Amino acid sequence: MDDAYDEGADARHGPDSPSGTRPEPESAPPAPPPAPVPPVSAVSAVSAVSPAGAPALPRTGVAALSPRYQVGAALALALVAVAACVHLGMVFLSVAPANTVTKQHGKAIEEWVYPEFEQNWKLFAPNPLQQNIAVQVRADVLMPGGTTTTTGWNDLSAQDGRAIDGSLLPSHTVQNELRRALDFFTTTHGTDNRPIGLRGSLSEQYLRRIVVMRMYAGDATSQKGTIERVQVRSSTTNVPPPDWSGEKVSDMPVYRVLPWWTVTADEANGGVR
């Protein structure tokens, strides 16, 4: 009776177990291990990751601008691209063989290209220059006292040569401006210095403005007064051949003297200084 009372109603009897024995309790499943706590640096890194999994990078360049400025930048880039394409097309047509486009729009092409963007491409082994050509100029200068003084000949090509000598990066203007201006004049004028075609007056004005600017910049007499007239001449001297060639050429300079040109009022008053 004591044994039965001790076990009371909690006594369980298995079907095969003898009466009065307690069955072994079933073992509980093991608890899952606690999840590891990420460090603070990992938490901040996770918060900086976009939903797609890629890190969020700051915007740079045009994308960093507001929409209004992005539209403005896009329009500016488009205008620059169009202008560059038009310029390259004009230059190409100016040196291309005659075709339908150049026949119909030849005047517009020439007005765009000449004289600043003129190209003198020579294909198939061009013959190099065998002469030294110098551009020289003198001027009639109205002095403050009312008298007119004629300067001596200023060798502008020699001035450019001194500027180029020893310069690691000489400018394109110093190297070619005078030479190309004189070439432009000689190809649009006859041996009598009369213009041939419609570009003759343009080449004369172009060369005159260059020499007037150079006189105001480098001639002491011109700087004291006002230039009224200028005269340009070219001095051509043959390059001496090598000694082994046996060729004999003259070393005397040949001059081509252009007529006096009257300087216009805007040029004389500093319009081209």
Side-chain angles (χ1 to χ4, degrees):
M1 293 294 292
D2 292 337
D3 293 338
Y5 176 80
D6 291 339
E7 293 185 1
D10 291 333
R12 297 290 184 268
H13 302 279
D16 299 330
S17 61
S19 176
T21 61
R22 186 186 300 269
E24 294 294 334
E26 297 180 0
S27 59
V37 179
V40 176
S41 59
V43 174
S44 60
V46 171
S47 62
V49 176
S50 62
L57 300 176
R59 294 184 177 183
T60 59
V62 178
L65 301 175
S66 63
R68 181 177 61 180
Y69 289 104
Q70 288 182 7
V71 173
L75 291 177
L77 292 175
L79 290 177
V80 171
V82 171
C85 292
V86 171
H87 175 71
L88 292 177
M90 289 290 192
V91 173
F92 172 78
L93 291 173
S94 68
V95 298
N99 52 70
T100 304
V101 178
T102 55
K103 291 178 181 178
Q104 293 182 355
H105 307 285
K107 185 178 180 180
I109 295 172
E110 290 185 357
E111 290 178 352
W112 180 278
V113 173
Y114 297 102
E116 287 82 1
F117 306 115
E118 180 184 4
Q119 303 294 322
N120 187 22
W121 296 353
K122 295 181 179 180
L123 304 178
F124 309 110
N127 186 26
L129 292 176
Q130 298 180 358
Q131 297 173 327
N132 289 322
I133 302 176
V135 179
Q136 302 170 353
V137 60
R138 63 180 178 178
D140 282 347
V141 183
L142 179 63
M143 305 304 291
T147 60
T148 300
T149 302
T150 301
T151 67
W153 288 104
N154 288 257
D155 195 335
L156 304 182
S157 297
Q159 297 175 9
D160 289 346
R162 289 191 293 269
I164 294 172
D165 189 19
S167 176
L168 295 178
L169 299 172
S171 69
H172 180 79
T173 301
V174 174
Q175 297 181 78
N176 299 312
E177 182 181 55
L178 277 175
R179 180 180 62 84
R180 296 298 300 125
L182 183 64
D183 287 346
F184 186 28
F185 179 87
T186 56
T187 55
T188 56
H189 287 72
T191 55
D192 57 353
N193 297 324
R194 293 183 179 273
I196 302 174
L198 300 177
R199 293 191 295 157
S201 60
L202 176 62
S203 64
E204 177 181 324
Q205 181 184 22
Y206 183 56
L207 181 58
R208 185 181 70 248
R209 285 176 173 265
I210 290 176
V211 298
V212 169
M213 285 192 297
R214 296 292 297 272
M215 290 294 284
Y216 274 130
D219 182 69
T221 303
S222 301
Q223 293 173 354
K224 297 178 181 178
T226 302
I227 298 177
E228 293 184 323
R229 298 192 308 164
V230 291
Q231 187 178 30
V232 179
R233 74 177 183 183
S234 62
S235 175
T236 304
T237 307
N238 292 318
V239 175
D243 297 334
W244 51 263
S245 68
E247 183 181 359
K248 302 296 182 181
V249 297
S250 174
D251 57 355
M252 297 299 295
V254 177
Y255 296 99
R256 178 176 177 175
V257 182
L258 306 184
W260 282 94
W261 292 331
T262 301
V263 178
T264 60
D266 61 333
E267 296 171 355
N269 292 328
V272 295
R273 297 193 189 187

